[in-house]
Amino acid sequence: MSTVPNVEISDDRSALNDETAVSAPSQVGRQPDLTGCPWHDVNEMLQSAGLRPTRQRMALGWLLFGKGARHLTAEMLYEEATLAKVPVSLATVYNTLNQLTDAGLLRQVSVDGTKTYFDTNVTAHHHFYLENNHELVDIPNPHLVLSKLPTCPKVTRSRASTWSCGLRKTR
């Protein structure tokens, strides 16, 4: 399971209803009480981030977070949901991934400006992109230092996110 980020505390509990409340009082913004049970942990993660644990969010969250650190596109998650008989549309998958990203539970990683992956590991790290497999892989060294980056053109905006390196298999 990936590390869950600290989230801001909010007193807005209107997003929770009796159907989704747990036996202990909910506290939006608290650190989730993770037990190792994927279903329980997804519920805790959603509630701690202020998201209502709907059936669709729970099912998609279970697929996302129940298998450890992963890199998935919306289409990949939709395919997994379809195979698992989770009744969701591709639009719902995109909406849920964006909500989880906005809540800090996922990181969005753009590759070549054409493909977007969602990373369940929200800690600061970088990636390799394996072009032949269309696969995103974490760079294992947390002490990676890029000593010289090119200057961005004036019409672009720089963001502190991840560095990705596209790799092709040699023959």
Side-chain angles (χ1 to χ4, degrees), residues 57-121:
R57 283 187 190 135
M58 288 292 295
L60 293 174
W62 182 77
L63 290 170
L64 276 166
F65 301 109
K67 299 177 183 177
R70 309 177 68 197
H71 305 97
L72 295 166
T73 63
E75 292 78 10
M76 291 164 69
L77 182 58
Y78 176 72
E79 184 177 331
E80 280 190 24
T82 301
L83 292 173
K85 307 277 191 247
V86 176
V88 292
S89 67
L90 183 57
T92 298
V93 170
Y94 271 105
N95 290 337
T96 301
L97 289 170
N98 287 322
Q99 291 164 352
L100 294 173
T101 301
D102 291 344
L105 299 175
L106 293 175
R107 281 179 66 187
Q108 206 170 5
V109 181
S110 185
V111 177
D112 284 340
T114 60
K115 190 170 268 214
T116 300
Y117 285 84
F118 294 87
D119 190 351
T120 60
N121 178 357

